[in-house]
């Protein structure tokens, strides 16, 4: 019983793995765009430095997600 369940889970995850890689690339692109918008929106404002930091974090995570998804394809 345990072996049957393990094989079913392995087969299911194997089928959706390529879709998850594409999802990672898409989400990474969205995060990169969001990060760039947040960084350049508050470019000269010293009071909104937190928003620029969040934009930088989004940008970095997005780049890592795109590279990771692309390599895993």
């Amino acid at each position: 019983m345990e072996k049957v369940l393990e094989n079913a889970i392995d087969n299911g995850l194997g089928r959706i793995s390529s879709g998850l890689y594409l999802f990672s690339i898409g989400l990474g692109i969205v995060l990169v765009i969001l990060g760039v918008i947040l960084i350049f929106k508050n470019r000269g404002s010293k009071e909104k430095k937190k928003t620029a930091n969040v934009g930088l974090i989004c940008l970095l995570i997005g780049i890592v997600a795109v590279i990771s998804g692309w390599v895993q394809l």
Side-chain angles (χ1 to χ4, degrees):
M1 178 67 180
E2 189 175 304
K3 187 76 168 176
V4 173
L5 184 60
E6 183 179 340
N7 285 337
I9 291 173
D10 285 342
N11 290 336
L13 290 176
R15 287 186 207 139
I16 65 169
S17 66
S18 64
L20 292 176
Y21 301 143
L22 292 176
F23 178 75
S24 174
I25 292 172
L27 184 65
I29 291 171
V30 169
L31 283 173
V32 167
I33 292 170
L34 178 66
V36 169
I37 290 171
L38 289 175
I39 288 172
F40 287 119
K41 182 180 177 186
N42 301 316
R43 201 170 176 184
S45 176
K46 290 187 177 182
E47 296 85 24
K48 296 185 179 181
K49 202 164 190 155
K50 285 184 183 179
T51 307
N53 288 340
V54 170
L56 183 61
I57 291 169
C58 286
L59 181 70
L60 293 175
I61 291 173
I63 290 171
V64 169
V66 169
I67 291 172
S68 173
W70 185 65
V71 167
Q72 290 177 0
L73 277 178

